[in-house]
Amino acid sequence: MADFKLTYATMFNPPDELHAGFDKAVETLKKNMGKEYGMLIDGKEVKADEKFDDHSPVNTDWALAKMQKGGAKHAQEAMAAARKAFPGWSRTPWQKRVELLRKAASLIEERIFELGAAMALEVGKNRMESLGDVQETADLIYYSCYQMEKNDGYIVEMGKDPLVGYEARNVSVLRPYGVWLVVSPFNFPHALTGGPSGAALVTGNTLVIKPATDTAWIVRLLVDCFRDAGIPDGVVNFVTGPGSTLGQALVDSPEVDGVTFTGSFDVGMKMYQDFSKGRYVRPVILELGGKNPAIVSRNADLERATIGIVRSAFGLQGQKCSAASRVLVEESVYDELVSRLKEAAEKLAVGDPTEKATYNGPVINKSSYNDFKNFCEEISQGGGKFLTGGNVKTGGMYDKGYYCENTLVTDLPYSHRLWKHEMFLPIATIGKVKNLDEAMKIANDVNYGLTAGFYGSLEETDWFFDKIEAGVTYANRPQGATTGAWPGFQPFGGWKGSGSSGKNAGGHYYLPLYMHEQIRTLIK
Ligand code: NAP
Ligand code: MG
């Protein structure tokens, strides 16, 4: 395993040790399921009066953990703890913060199998995607540490004013805002909690973390890594409970100095509006949904296009913000690509995501499962045809969880609302276009602008990169048409309705979002 570096692009050919480590962790975990976990506030385990049982979408008989149903009172306590810890943490030399965060990242790596196994059970991600999410988290944290060092703590000596009789010194420093709120989604529970948390912490902010209710357990296991690394009490606080009550109380708290929210457009936009009701403008980093196109030219390598599109449409059951949910194909290669896509999609094994052969596990919960059925019905009514899929899976183990067929749709009129709506399920619509200009027009005609993929000639790729409205773009990539970004390689973020900051996580410009500038002029 020494030469193997796990990323979403390399995960298709892992060494055997990776499988062995994962299998062992699943076995151990299954014997220890159902424990109760507290919230973590000011370094203390905090219990709420109400609890909730966290069941696995793989098999709903499996109770993974008992979690706390926190409320407004816990929101307030967590904010107060983060506020109290801020002076100490923000004045800790940045080099020391880097050291502690590197320690946390290395603990995450040490626990990769345990965390990956829990992720597969709680999210329903296949094993390589689960291990990938854990490794990505460590790499995002390492990347923030690297940026802090590379920029020398963001302390910059400015020019001296041309004064006569005085000597001026001007220093620009970037300083943390204060208490930072991180609200994360279910689909990448580690990377999208740990990534923003790492950035907020290394820059000197203190934290309140609120995970998605569907993935409260696995995020608690991540928070344990921050605690075990020796990050002081109160610097990282963790609360669990419904978004509509606990989450809303956090957003409405006057104690929050900045927020990073990753999740759906509707919840994010509401948060943006609610957050703006504070006494003054505070930073909001929103990472929202996508409706990502893959464009295929007549000059494309159809084998690459097929494999890349199928991976991106159906990886994690289509529940990636970066999923390829729209496929736009030039007329002359349409029939051939469509038949290849059907064949490739039908080969994907749907089942228990902890098993080696499985590509697709279940979708996250009953409500997504019902959405799948409703969308398929709507597609049928709207004139769409199922090239493959279109039903939920039934019989045997499938009846225990939320399994859906990988679904490719053709002939749905471009005027249908589902060409623009993020379904967040294993459903992709395929459309024929007369030429690439038509494809680009359709591709950009949505509110979203997260990721996009293209397959065509080298000359055409220049045109694609120039015209496409998206923050993460790929050309001719079999590893994934629109998915599989990795920190340090493909910084990740969206344009338009897909993101608010215009600066991508795991990239050059990300850390400064967590700090405000102070210019220090001193006349000697
Ligand atoms: P979601 O339903 O929007 O929930 C996201 C988080 O917000 C959860 O922790 C949720 O808690 C919380 N929440 C809900 N209502 C809230 C409120 N009123 N105040 C504060 N917090 C609230 O999203 P999801 O279903 O977990 O994730 C899927 C979505 O995330 C998709 O749209 C996907 O495209 C997007 N996503 C974007 C990116 C990106 O980088 N751009 C990455 C991954 C996912 P509860 O679970 O308790 O409701
Ligand atoms: Mg669950």
Side-chain angles (χ1 to χ4, degrees):
M1 207 155 87
D3 301 333
F4 181 74
K5 165 71 190 156
L6 176 62
T7 75
Y8 294 129
T10 66
M11 70 180 177
F12 304 103
N13 297 302
D16 287 342
E17 291 114 288
L18 239 152
H19 288 301
F22 183 86
D23 286 330
K24 207 167 136 229
V26 171
E27 207 185 301
T28 314
L29 205 61
K30 279 191 174 169
K31 289 185 200 135
N32 292 299
M33 293 188 321
K35 282 198 278 189
E36 180 170 352
Y37 292 79
M39 296 182 275
L40 202 68
I41 300 176
D42 206 11
K44 292 177 200 69
E45 294 284 336
V46 174
K47 302 275 171 73
D49 296 338
E50 280 185 82
K51 328 270 169 197
F52 63 93
D53 284 316
D54 186 351
H55 289 276
S56 174
V58 179
N59 181 330
T60 52
D61 291 344
W62 299 345
L64 302 174
K66 192 180 277 300
M67 307 299 300
Q68 311 301 318
K69 193 170 173 186
K73 167 175 166 275
H74 303 104
Q76 210 174 30
E77 285 171 17
M79 286 293 159
R83 176 65 60 207
K84 192 176 78 174
F86 179 66
W89 182 246
S90 58
R91 292 190 178 87
T92 301
W94 64 265
Q95 293 88 344
K96 177 70 186 167
R97 295 198 301 260
V98 163
E99 189 189 313
L100 286 168
L101 280 151
R102 285 218 169 101
K103 173 85 181 135
S106 76
L107 282 176
I108 293 168
E109 284 184 302
E110 266 172 43
R111 298 176 189 177
I112 188 166
F113 293 120
E114 181 194 331
L115 296 173
M119 175 99 61
L121 291 175
E122 197 180 37
V123 183
K125 275 194 203 215
N126 77 27
R127 60 169 61 186
M128 293 314 299
E129 295 268 9
S130 293
L131 294 170
D133 191 332
V134 180
Q135 185 62 54
E136 184 190 4
T137 310
D139 284 13
L140 281 166
I141 297 171
Y142 285 133
Y143 195 79
S144 284
C145 293
Y146 157 75
Q147 282 293 333
M148 203 68 190
E149 273 175 351
K150 188 176 145 212
N151 291 286
D152 208 9
Y154 294 89
I155 301 164
V156 178
E157 197 80 38
M158 304 301 293
K160 292 181 189 298
D161 320 48
L163 300 176
V164 178
Y166 298 94
E167 195 194 330
R169 187 181 176 210
N170 299 311
V171 182
S172 158
V173 292
L174 288 189
R175 301 184 62 187
Y177 281 98
V179 174
W180 205 273
L181 172 63
V182 170
V183 180
S184 57
F186 79 84
N187 66 336
F188 287 84
H190 272 188
L192 300 176
T193 309
S197 295
L201 289 171
V202 82
T203 51
N205 300 279
T206 54
L207 271 186
V208 177
I209 292 172
K210 150 74 191 119
T213 296
D214 284 313
T215 51
W217 177 45
I218 177 81
V219 178
R220 170 62 210 248
L221 301 181
L222 171 71
V223 168
D224 287 351
C225 297
F226 287 122
R227 180 199 58 199
D228 298 345
I231 292 176
D233 290 349
V235 172
V236 179
N237 302 281
F238 168 77
V239 287
T240 50
S244 54
T245 50
L246 169 71
Q248 191 65 43
L250 291 165
V251 173
D252 293 339
S253 166
E255 287 295 324
V256 193
D257 294 309
V259 57
T260 305
F261 168 83
T262 313
S264 60
F265 178 83
D266 290 348
V267 173
M269 280 303 277
K270 179 177 185 302
M271 185 177 291
Y272 178 71
Q273 283 149 6
D274 291 347
F275 202 60
S276 73
K277 293 178 187 144
R279 281 188 297 146
Y280 43 76
V281 178
R282 296 161 294 167
V284 192
I285 304 174
L286 301 173
E287 309 287 353
L288 308 177
K291 188 71 183 174
N292 312 298
I295 300 176
V296 183
S297 132
R298 78 185 79 138
N299 300 310
D301 175 334
L302 295 185
E303 196 177 319
R304 281 196 192 190
T306 303
I307 182 169
I309 289 168
V310 164
R311 281 174 172 166
S312 291
F314 301 126
L316 184 51
Q317 297 71 265
Q319 302 166 114
K320 294 187 187 179
C321 51
S322 56
S325 51
R326 297 183 292 153
V327 184
L328 301 165
V329 193
E330 265 198 299
E331 229 163 31
S332 60
V333 290
Y334 181 85
D335 289 342
E336 190 183 345
L337 185 78
V338 159
S339 84
R340 284 180 185 237
L341 287 172
K342 174 175 159 69
E343 193 190 330
E346 284 172 352
K347 279 196 191 132
L348 303 174
V350 181
D352 180 337
T354 64
E355 281 167 20
K356 187 175 172 181
T358 298
Y359 189 76
N360 292 108
V363 300
I364 188 69
N365 56 31
K366 189 159 201 166
S367 139
S368 290
Y369 185 72
N370 288 336
D371 285 350
F372 178 88
K373 292 191 257 187
N374 293 334
F375 285 136
C376 287
E377 180 59 34
E378 195 182 338
I379 286 165
S380 247
Q381 299 281 327
K385 298 204 175 81
F386 296 109
L387 179 64
T388 183
N391 291 299
V392 295
K393 295 270 224 190
T394 52
M397 64 143 337
Y398 293 135
D399 292 338
K400 291 282 185 186
Y402 304 121
Y403 297 88
C404 302
E405 289 177 349
N406 289 314
T407 299
L408 289 170
V409 175
T410 61
D411 297 279
L412 188 70
Y414 285 124
S415 56
H416 197 281
R417 76 164 192 119
L418 293 183
W419 270 106
K420 296 192 180 183
H421 179 80
E422 184 190 48
M423 290 183 266
F424 220 58
L425 284 163
I427 304 174
T429 50
I430 309 175
K432 198 185 282 182
V433 290
K434 288 201 172 49
N435 53 49
L436 290 180
D437 287 329
E438 186 191 358
M440 187 56 77
K441 198 163 161 264
I442 296 168
N444 284 335
D445 187 23
V446 286
N447 280 339
Y448 293 114
L450 191 51
T451 73
F454 178 74
Y455 296 91
S457 70
L458 212 53
E459 301 80 69
E460 288 167 340
T461 61
D462 284 338
W463 163 87
F464 165 72
F465 288 131
D466 182 51
K467 298 279 185 196
I468 192 75
E469 295 166 3
V472 188
T473 61
Y474 305 95
N476 296 335
R477 185 167 177 266
Q479 290 79 10
T482 60
T483 54
W486 200 263
F489 306 142
Q490 292 93 12
F492 194 83
W495 292 12
K496 295 154 70 177
S498 295
S500 68
S501 75
K503 306 290 178 294
N504 296 3
H508 284 303
Y509 313 106
Y510 191 62
L511 279 198
L513 299 175
Y514 291 82
M515 296 175 282
H516 40 197
E517 184 169 3
Q518 182 175 62
I519 181 74
R520 297 174 167 181
T521 291
L522 173 68
I523 305 293
K524 288 188 194 154

